[in-house]
Amino acid sequence: MPTRWLFADQLGPHFLDEPDQPVLLIESRAAFGRRPVHRRRAHLVLSALRHRAAELGDQALFVQAAGYREALGRVDRKLGDGLTVCGPTTWAADRFVRGLPQVTVLPSRGFATSAEEFAAWAAGRGRRRLLLEDFYREARVRLRVLMDGDEPAGGRWNFDHENREPPPEGGLNCGPPKPPAEDDIDREVRRDLDAWEKAGEVRFTGQDGPREFPVTREEALTALRAFVRDRLPAFGPHQDAMLAADPVLAHSHLSPALNLGLLDPLECVRAAEQAYRAGDAPVASVEGFIRQIIGWRDYVWHLYWHFGEDYRHHNRLRARRTLPDWFTDLNADAVQARCLSDGLAQVREHGYAHHIIRLMVLGNYALQRGWNPAEVTEWFHTNFVDGYDWVMVPNVVGMSQHADGGLMATKPYAGGGAYINRMSDYCGDCQYRPSVRLGPQACPFTAGYWAFIDQNADRFTANPRMSRQVQGAARLKDLDEVVAQEQSRGSSPP
Ligand SMILES: Cc1cc2nc3c(=O)[nH]c(=O)nc-3n(C[C@H](O)[C@H](O)[C@H](O)COP(=O)(O)OP(=O)(O)OC[C@H]3O[C@@H](n4cnc5c(N)ncnc54)[C@H](O)[C@@H]3O)c2cc1C
Ligand code: SF4
């Protein structure tokens, strides 16, 4: 049987053809040296790879090398029946493995919809634009997920309307995820990372701390079970809510385990559906979660390939400002705006923030300030424990920064303080007021929103979903002063 080369994001059993298939694992130092990386992300990836190597024992050739080519050179003669690899997750890695004569590249795994199924769906759209909702419904039917015969369970495809509730008074009280226990491999990883940093071979962002996410299959299954039991029932209604004292709320915290390949997306979906069928979780929550996995996660994966390698360079809003140091340094303490300071602190301390903090706080601020989308993508990639090229590029370039001119989302995800105020408890203790746009108490999100609309008025007038906002900005008597105020804020921390 050919040896299966597993990349560090292909660590689950579903990347092997047989449980006893010979395996090649490569720990490449170059992968860490290329760009700064959040300390917790480096730890997680290295720990997961080394745990897999330890688990497989003699079944795996585990090579620690400066780079992939060197490692392959070292093992070449030990690979009896050849080497296969499941399609890797970046354009660069895909090109690399396809250029290696000794490697056979198989279709990718770890997603619910295959490349062929997506291509057929996209081709069937004809001239209609690609839409998540349609992709998701087709996937539900094809995969027989949350269906009662030919009808969606609960009688509806979409419970988004119920799933946009502000945070409840007193919080959700479902308890934060329990971190896994560290072991000797974690301690060895920590020692190595310290040594590499000291030697100047790697640069870290963020703060180190006890590991918070799974690195083995067993830990990942435990985390999945705990989510389904403790948080899934509350996942739906408060999906978009933000609470200062409860950064995870009912979110699954599963993206790192999914992206390391430790969990198969369909097993997560089936576990959630089972909770619904057993009467343990309401349909709105289960549908909301399933939509994230076989809807958004798969959709983003396929768009990464569908839009092509140059998609990352799109900059249709001509946003050219460079990211300020306080943002790249994750200097939350320099920021007075409470929502932004808290979002940055979450990234610094955990390498994680839930979707709405990413989209409507961190990404929204970058969008309003005209920061270069390629730099913003790099920032997210560097600083998140679940950051991988395939998922960052569409989420940042398309969804968050609207740099693709609307290929992915019909309107920019820009919002003022009123949205953040409705969906969070941040504004009460903030020195700014969400309803104020001029003067010392002007909320940087509210004022920034109008300045952003004004800056892009010519582009947005032609967009039926944005023209009302452009007219709204034009009606503001103090628009010129608001724009001047935000220009003078410059790149200072708000
Ligand atoms: C600017 C920006 C950057 C992002 N960067 C990443 C990233 O680097 N890695 C990443 O996995 N997700 C990314 N996301 C998507 C999403 O925010 C995270 O998947 C989610 O917050 C992870 O937390 P969770 O596991 O608690 O998610 P939950 O809210 O519990 O959702 C369940 C799962 O659905 C999937 N999912 C949900 N939304 C998306 C989405 N838009 N794209 C892909 N998968 C999705 C994830 O696998 C997630 O674990 C980004 C979103 C934005 C707006
Ligand atoms: S007032 Fe504005 S800056 Fe302050 S927390 Fe609310 S939205 Fe954020």
Side-chain angles (χ1 to χ4, degrees), residues 40-369:
R40 283 169 178 271
R41 178 174 150 70
H43 186 118
L44 197 73
V45 173
L46 218 53
S47 177
L49 190 70
R50 291 184 186 181
H51 273 92
R52 187 66 169 129
E55 236 167 50
L56 288 167
D58 291 344
Q59 192 183 330
L61 282 169
F62 178 43
V63 188
Q64 296 174 295
Y68 291 124
R69 275 189 202 282
E70 183 203 315
L72 290 169
R74 276 206 242 154
V75 296
D76 215 15
R77 270 179 292 150
K78 298 186 195 155
L79 305 170
D81 293 338
L83 190 60
T84 58
V85 67
C86 299
T89 58
T90 67
W91 280 99
D94 191 70
R95 205 172 24 248
F96 175 65
V97 293
R98 286 181 199 282
L100 295 169
Q102 70 271 47
V103 177
T104 305
V105 184
L106 307 172
S108 301
R109 297 186 189 180
F111 294 89
T113 295
S114 70
E116 290 71 29
E117 286 161 344
F118 181 84
W121 173 78
R125 304 287 297 170
R127 294 166 69 86
R128 286 172 303 158
R129 60 178 292 131
L130 304 185
L131 271 186
L132 174 275
E133 186 64 33
D134 295 347
F135 169 77
Y136 163 67
R137 290 184 191 189
E138 198 269 343
R140 285 261 302 269
V141 173
R142 175 168 34 81
L143 297 163
R144 306 293 317 149
V145 169
L146 211 57
M147 297 295 296
D148 289 336
D150 291 339
E151 296 299 318
R156 273 157 54 197
W157 292 102
N158 190 319
F159 290 83
D160 269 2
H161 191 64
E162 282 90 329
N163 285 351
R164 294 205 174 115
E165 293 286 311
E169 292 278 332
L172 284 186
N173 300 321
C174 42
K178 190 168 172 268
E182 289 202 0
D183 62 9
D184 285 346
I185 295 181
D186 287 298
R187 286 183 272 282
E188 180 198 61
V189 165
R190 187 161 282 114
R191 271 196 307 276
D192 285 352
L193 292 178
D194 284 343
W196 299 350
E197 186 180 29
K198 210 164 161 205
E201 291 172 31
V202 291
R203 279 173 300 146
F204 295 125
T205 63
Q207 289 174 358
D208 192 15
R211 178 163 62 77
E212 294 175 300
F213 295 92
V215 291
T216 64
R217 169 90 181 141
E218 207 184 309
E219 287 180 355
L221 287 172
T222 304
L224 172 62
R225 279 193 292 267
F227 163 67
V228 170
R229 187 189 59 226
D230 302 337
R231 300 195 300 286
L232 176 64
F235 177 86
H238 305 292
Q239 239 177 91
D240 290 359
M242 298 170 271
L243 276 178
D246 185 358
V248 181
L249 289 155
H251 289 275
S252 70
H253 233 214
L254 291 176
S255 53
L258 275 160
N259 295 353
L260 285 166
L262 295 170
L263 292 173
D264 185 319
L266 272 179
E267 77 184 322
C268 300
V269 160
R270 302 281 180 220
E273 175 163 5
Q274 206 181 344
Y276 164 67
R277 301 283 175 203
D280 294 335
V283 70
S285 284
V286 172
E287 189 283 314
F289 177 69
I290 288 175
R291 165 183 297 269
Q292 304 306 315
I293 304 273
I294 58 168
W296 277 112
R297 184 172 188 271
D298 256 77
Y299 190 58
V300 158
W301 161 252
H302 290 293
L303 290 185
Y304 175 76
W305 301 104
H306 181 77
F307 286 153
E309 196 168 359
D310 282 343
Y311 181 76
R312 66 180 62 248
H313 301 304
H314 283 219
N315 188 358
R316 292 286 289 279
L317 297 183
R318 306 268 181 273
R320 302 204 197 284
R321 295 206 178 100
T322 207
L323 268 56
D325 288 348
W326 57 267
F327 197 76
T328 48
D329 295 343
L330 308 180
N331 188 357
D333 308 332
V335 178
Q336 303 300 316
R338 189 153 177 252
C339 55
L340 187 60
S341 174
D342 195 64
L344 266 186
Q346 285 181 33
V347 178
R348 179 182 64 193
E349 282 145 38
H350 306 284
Y352 171 91
H354 77 62
H355 187 66
I356 296 301
I357 304 266
R358 298 184 202 205
L359 187 64
M360 296 311 291
V361 177
L362 300 165
N364 188 13
Y365 195 77
L367 174 68
Q368 291 183 358
R369 302 291 143 180

Side-chain angles (χ1 to χ4, degrees), residues 2 20 169 336 443 480:
D20 60 350
E169 292 278 332
Q336 303 300 316
C443 163
D480 289 346

